Amino acid sequence: AALAGGSRPPAPPTPVAAAPASPVDTGVDDELLKITSFETANLGDYAAYPAILSKYDDYLRSTTHAKSAEKAEAARTRFLNLMTEKAQAEFDRILREADPVRRLSALDAYPPILRALTTIDARLREERPRILEDIERRFAENEQKLDQDLAEGRFAGVPALITDLLRSAEGVRKTR
C-alpha cells in the first residue's frame, strides 16, 4: 500500500506494562493517609492526641509491609516530637508570666493530655515550689510595704497593696 501512494497502516499499539496490582499496599497507604489527615485536622485539639497515637499504634500492629511500617513509625515519631514541642512551648509560656499568682493558675490549668503523654510533668512538678516561693516572697514584701505605708500615713497605694495581698494570700493569712 505504501508503493501505491497510500499511507502506511497504523502500527499496532504497543502494550504498556501495567504496574503490578497490589491492593494491600494501596489500602495500607490509604489508611496511613487517613491517619495523617486525621492528625493534621486535630493538631490544635489536645483531647484528640490519644486517638491520634492510638490510630498510629493500631496501624503499626496491623501492617505487614516493612516500608509502610517504616512510614508509619516515622510519622508517629514526628507526631511525638511535635507533641513534645507543644508541651515545651506551653510550659515556656507559663514561665514568661511575671505575676507568680497567674503563673500558678496557668500551671494548674496546664493541659492534662500534654502532661500525660509527654515528659513535661517532671518539669511542672519542679516549677511549682519555685512559684510558691515567689508568691510567699511577694506576699511578705507587700505586707511589709503596707505596714510601712500605714505607719507613715501614705494611703494612696494601700488599696492596690491590699488587693495584691488578698490575691496571693491563702488560709489563715487571708482572714487576718
Side-chain angles (χ1 to χ4, degrees):
L3 296 175
S7 62
R8 289 187 179 185
T14 309
V16 178
S22 179
V24 176
D25 280 345
T26 303
V28 170
D29 289 339
D30 287 346
E31 186 62 29
L32 184 56
L33 183 60
K34 287 178 189 175
I35 295 169
T36 56
S37 295
F38 179 75
E39 174 192 335
T40 302
N42 291 289
L43 276 179
D45 182 12
Y46 295 144
Y49 285 13
I52 294 168
L53 285 174
S54 179
K55 287 178 182 289
Y56 278 123
D57 291 341
D58 291 346
Y59 178 84
L60 286 166
R61 277 192 298 274
S62 67
T63 190
T64 57
H65 294 84
K67 190 166 190 149
S68 296
E70 286 174 22
K71 286 181 183 179
E73 189 59 46
R76 183 181 187 280
T77 301
R78 180 194 41 73
F79 177 69
L80 287 172
N81 291 338
L82 179 74
M83 237 181 5
T84 301
E85 289 171 14
K86 283 185 176 271
Q88 186 60 48
E90 191 74 23
F91 182 68
D92 292 343
R93 183 188 59 77
I94 291 170
L95 292 181
R96 284 191 300 269
E97 175 60 56
D99 182 355
V101 175
R102 286 190 196 134
R103 200 168 47 227
L104 183 62
S105 294
L107 192 71
D108 290 341
Y110 192 87
I113 297 292
L114 291 180
R115 178 176 269 172
L117 296 177
T118 64
T119 59
I120 200 74
D121 192 49
R123 301 221 25 225
L124 296 171
R125 285 193 313 266
E126 290 170 2
E127 190 59 28
R128 186 176 195 75
R130 290 185 198 121
I131 295 172
L132 292 172
E133 286 174 15
D134 289 348
I135 291 172
E136 187 65 35
R137 183 174 31 261
R138 184 175 179 170
F139 182 86
E141 289 170 359
N142 286 341
E143 188 175 40
Q144 187 178 15
K145 285 179 193 174
L146 177 65
D147 291 343
Q148 187 176 3
D149 286 354
L150 289 173
E152 295 174 3
R154 293 181 292 186
F155 302 110
V158 169
L161 285 172
I162 289 175
T163 300
D164 199 44
L165 283 168
L166 289 174
R167 267 185 354 99
S168 59
E170 289 186 20
V172 176
R173 292 186 310 183
K174 198 168 206 170
T175 58
R176 190 176 67 169

